Amino acid sequence: MKILVTGGAGFIGSHLVDRLLKMGHEVTSVDNLSTGNMDFHKEIHGNPNFRFIQGTVFEKELIKKLVDECDVIFHLAAVLGVKNTVENPLHVIQGNIEGTQVVLEQAYIQKKKVVFSSTSEIYGKNLELPYREDSSRVLGPTTTDRWCYATAKALDEHLCFAYARKGLPVSIVRYFNIYGPRAIATQYGGVIPRFIVSALKNEPITVYGTGEQTRCFTYKDDAVDGTILCMDMKHNNQVFNIGTEHQISITQLAELIKDLTNSQSPIIYIPYEEAYGLGYEDSPMRVPDLTKARQVLGYSPSIKIEDGLKKTINWYRKNYKFT
């Protein structure tokens, strides 16, 4: 098949591109390189089934042309990161909603299948765990910028389902804390990249809040598996949680990374307010219910966090100098 991946030079997008090529598909990656990195495509340069285009999902004529040429679209281009939501909420809101509108509109006109990447942030601070795909969303007030990303992605999902009702074949994946090689701390902003970099530098590992909050971290291979399963037309007009059910507290995560890197880094704690400003809120736990993904997709995450972290740490050691 001919496949278009938006955000294809990003963390998850580049791994998805690699896998699709190994499966024998022809893949076009489009990315504006604001957070993507051409180095993530260096191993596939010269592959006759691969093409990279530097551009944005806001360029309607470009997207129209690329959609016309493909059979399936994986729409991963997004503006994400807690720091972005706090420092530039307008960029987060417009970047996610407007870009998705362009992609879905062109896909609808040409009736091309779309797999849209969403997020566990959708569920907000709902305390009824685990989160099913039909769980309620519980968010803070609109005066708190922290919730703008969750809201923007929710509106993206509403757009997907609105177009689906008009005939667009679309599936949605909600990622739960994806990590792995290529998740760069300065760009992706995730907690695991931050902790690994600090540990390898023997600098303080900074935990925001009490460290008692838990997450279910998902290795990139498992995320790509679930994403590709959604390409099948029989999964149209549905949303799926893609993650793992293994919980770990942020303090436990910091201790595990410190142990795996043989680091001398101290673990320090700072309040959310100091990191992100007054009024910042966080979810104490975020756990997916994978029943639907298992039964409908046949999704089965298999990478244990210790194994995934070892691979990620090795990638950092290979690609960066730490002194």
Side-chain angles (χ1 to χ4, degrees):
M1 299 179 71
K2 294 181 179 180
I3 298 175
L4 171 65
V5 180
T6 72
F11 161 44
I12 301 175
S14 62
H15 288 297
L16 176 62
V17 168
D18 290 349
R19 181 79 66 82
L20 291 169
L21 288 170
K22 288 180 180 178
M23 294 171 66
H25 299 293
E26 295 180 32
V27 183
T28 296
S29 165
V30 60
D31 200 299
N32 67 358
L33 300 181
S34 59
T35 54
N37 191 326
M38 279 303 297
D39 284 345
F40 297 167
H41 284 329
K42 64 183 179 182
E43 294 179 4
I44 55 176
H45 283 316
N47 187 320
N49 288 330
F50 173 70
R51 174 177 61 162
F52 174 77
I53 294 176
Q54 185 169 348
T56 75
V57 289
F58 305 110
E59 299 174 62
K60 292 184 179 180
E61 290 304 314
L62 172 62
I63 297 303
K64 179 180 179 180
K65 176 178 180 295
L66 296 179
V67 168
D68 180 62
E69 296 170 351
C70 75
D71 301 306
V72 177
I73 304 119
F74 287 90
H75 178 38
L76 276 70
V79 180
L80 71 164
V82 175
K83 198 171 183 62
N84 271 327
T85 65
V86 174
E87 295 183 353
N88 198 348
L90 189 60
H91 180 48
V92 171
I93 295 166
Q94 292 178 334
N96 285 296
I97 297 174
E98 293 178 9
T100 299
Q101 172 66 51
V102 171
V103 172
L104 292 177
E105 181 180 21
Q106 292 306 317
Y108 169 69
I109 291 172
Q110 304 185 51
K111 296 297 186 293
K112 301 293 179 70
K113 172 68 185 272
V114 175
V115 179
F116 173 72
S117 67
S118 189
T119 171
S120 62
E121 286 279 333
I122 286 286
Y123 300 106
K125 52 183 179 178
N126 187 341
L127 297 179
E128 295 183 7
L129 297 170
Y131 296 143
R132 302 184 316 275
E133 286 83 353
D134 60 354
S135 291
S136 296
R137 301 177 58 240
V138 181
L139 303 178
T142 54
T143 51
T144 302
D145 292 331
R146 185 258 183 275
W147 302 113
C148 72
Y149 175 63
T151 300
K153 296 298 277 189
L155 284 171
D156 284 342
E157 288 196 19
H158 279 298
L159 280 170
C160 287
F161 285 121
Y163 275 107
R165 292 189 187 95
K166 297 178 66 175
L168 175 69
V170 60
S171 300
I172 298 170
V173 292
R174 290 180 184 156
Y175 293 137
F176 279 74
N177 296 90
I178 314 302
Y179 74 98
R182 303 177 187 168
I184 299 177
T186 57
Q187 296 178 339
Y188 180 63
V191 63
I192 286 179
R194 286 198 302 104
F195 283 5
I196 289 175
V197 169
S198 296
L200 290 175
K201 289 182 175 181
N202 287 307
E203 295 177 350
I205 298 174
T206 304
V207 174
Y208 301 146
T210 65
E212 296 175 356
Q213 64 272 34
T214 67
R215 292 294 184 268
C216 297
F217 293 96
T218 310
Y219 191 63
K220 54 92 176 175
D221 287 351
D222 286 330
V224 170
D225 286 346
T227 305
I228 291 176
L229 287 169
C230 286
M231 185 168 61
D232 195 309
M233 286 291 189
K234 67 184 178 183
H235 304 314
N236 289 348
N237 309 336
Q238 297 189 68
V239 56
F240 299 95
N241 288 333
I242 299 299
T244 65
E245 297 145 316
H246 173 71
Q247 294 186 66
I248 184 171
S249 75
I250 302 304
T251 291
Q252 289 172 327
L253 175 68
E255 291 171 343
L256 179 57
I257 289 175
K258 181 176 176 179
D259 180 59
L260 292 174
T261 55
N262 296 312
S263 176
Q264 301 302 309
S265 296
I267 298 173
I268 63 174
Y269 297 81
I270 67 172
Y272 284 122
E273 291 78 7
E274 186 175 331
Y276 299 122
L278 293 175
Y280 181 82
E281 298 179 279
D282 199 13
S283 304
M285 293 182 288
R286 190 171 291 155
V287 185
D289 185 329
L290 299 180
T291 302
K292 181 180 179 183
R294 284 195 170 97
Q295 293 179 350
V296 178
L297 293 177
Y299 172 69
S300 181
S302 60
I303 308 299
K304 295 180 179 179
I305 190 164
E306 291 85 358
D307 296 331
L309 286 176
K310 288 176 183 177
K311 294 178 181 180
T312 308
I313 290 165
N314 288 340
W315 181 83
Y316 267 92
R317 282 187 165 135
K318 180 180 179 181
N319 288 277
Y320 292 88
K321 291 183 179 180
F322 299 96
T323 58

